[in-house]
Amino acid sequence: MKRNTQLFDLYWEDILVSKVLPYLTIRECFSFRCVSKTCLQIINMYFAKLKSLKLMNKGFSPHTFNVFAMSCTKLTVLNLSRCTTVYDADLIPMLLRNQNLVNLNLSQCKNVTAKCLQPVILYCNNLRILKLARCPWLTTGAMEALALHQSMLVDVDLSYCLTISESCILIFIKKFRHLTTFNLEGNKQITDKCLYGISKYSVSLKLLNLGGCSEITDKGVRALAHHSTKLEGLLVRGCTKVTENSLKLMRSRVHLDRRATDPVPVPIYVQI
């Protein structure tokens, strides 16, 4: 009697891995992985081919993350934003095995340390996008090491990284002269010195977020208006020392997150 065709009779790599498994969620993949040794092999084959892994805001056990660390070796995109269950011991092996990363997001990963960036700094030479928003563990030393060893960053998020100094951000700006997107929101240590540096060195900058950088003034914004000719967007909400006097210089060509203030009417004195 002829046996009916079963799921596993399909070509694993060409059909199951390439056409079917991408429709499953991560949770469904792990459930399927537990069914049999064959399922385990297929899922591991699928994980080994992944180029993008996005686990944003998901809680998972160290064992679960270790499966990815052992299986995934071709990642170019890794997004672990708000993953509070990730630790250095879990993350470092994964970064060591994925040295072709182009896009890394560790924003709000509160349980890792600056040590986890060592593999990135030393080996991920293709890195172009780095998101480290609200990372209280980011140190000035780690920033200086990034500037020393990396060269291709174009999109960087350092918002609310209050532990790094303005001087190390200046070093960063001088090194990465092809930045197109730079987020410094909430960093109150930023002054006009950084804006002078950006206007001089960041010749390709298109989007700059300075929201909440309360120490910058019209002098720094005026420097951006005169020299950052490719700038398309500037966010300055919460920058109380920045006024329309400087913003009006770029309002016609740059998207701003503050509306133009109506001019104060000049009083007219009528002689009685």
Side-chain angles (χ1 to χ4, degrees), residues 18-155:
S18 301
K19 305 298 184 182
V20 178
L21 294 183
Y23 288 97
L24 300 184
T25 65
I26 294 297
R27 185 178 295 275
E28 288 169 342
C29 284
F30 272 89
S31 297
F32 184 66
R33 187 174 179 271
C34 297
V35 172
S36 68
K37 289 184 179 180
T38 301
C39 294
L40 175 66
Q41 290 177 309
I42 294 172
I43 292 295
N44 286 346
M45 186 184 297
Y46 171 60
F47 285 166
K49 288 183 171 294
L50 282 180
K51 292 189 175 181
S52 176
L53 181 60
K54 299 178 180 180
L55 299 173
M56 304 85 75
N57 200 26
K58 290 182 172 61
F60 40 79
S61 68
H63 170 73
T64 299
F65 194 79
N66 186 57
V67 171
F68 288 120
M70 296 302 295
S71 302
C72 299
T73 59
K74 297 182 179 180
L75 295 178
T76 59
V77 177
L78 178 59
N79 190 337
L80 300 176
S81 176
R82 304 184 303 282
C83 290
T84 56
T85 57
V86 176
Y87 294 85
D88 286 353
D90 311 312
L91 181 57
I92 290 175
M94 172 174 278
L95 295 176
L96 286 171
R97 292 171 64 88
N98 291 277
Q99 297 180 12
N100 290 320
L101 280 176
V102 174
N103 183 337
L104 176 63
N105 190 338
L106 298 178
S107 296
Q108 300 186 57
C109 290
K110 300 184 182 300
N111 289 317
V112 297
T113 70
K115 183 180 178 181
C116 77
L117 291 178
Q118 288 181 356
V120 178
I121 293 168
L122 295 175
Y123 305 118
C124 296
N125 298 321
N126 297 320
L127 195 68
R128 296 175 64 83
I129 301 172
L130 181 61
K131 308 284 186 180
L132 299 173
R134 298 181 185 272
C135 290
W137 45 264
L138 184 62
T139 63
T140 293
M143 286 285 292
E144 291 174 347
L146 274 166
L148 180 63
H149 293 278
Q150 292 292 314
S151 60
M152 298 180 65
L153 291 176
V154 296
D155 183 348

Side-chain angles (χ1 to χ4, degrees), residues 248-267:
K248 67 183 179 182
L249 299 175
M250 62 177 82
R251 193 170 286 282
S252 62
R253 61 181 178 85
V254 178
H255 172 76
L256 302 171
D257 63 343
R258 274 167 45 176
R259 294 181 180 178
T261 54
D262 296 328
V264 178
V266 178

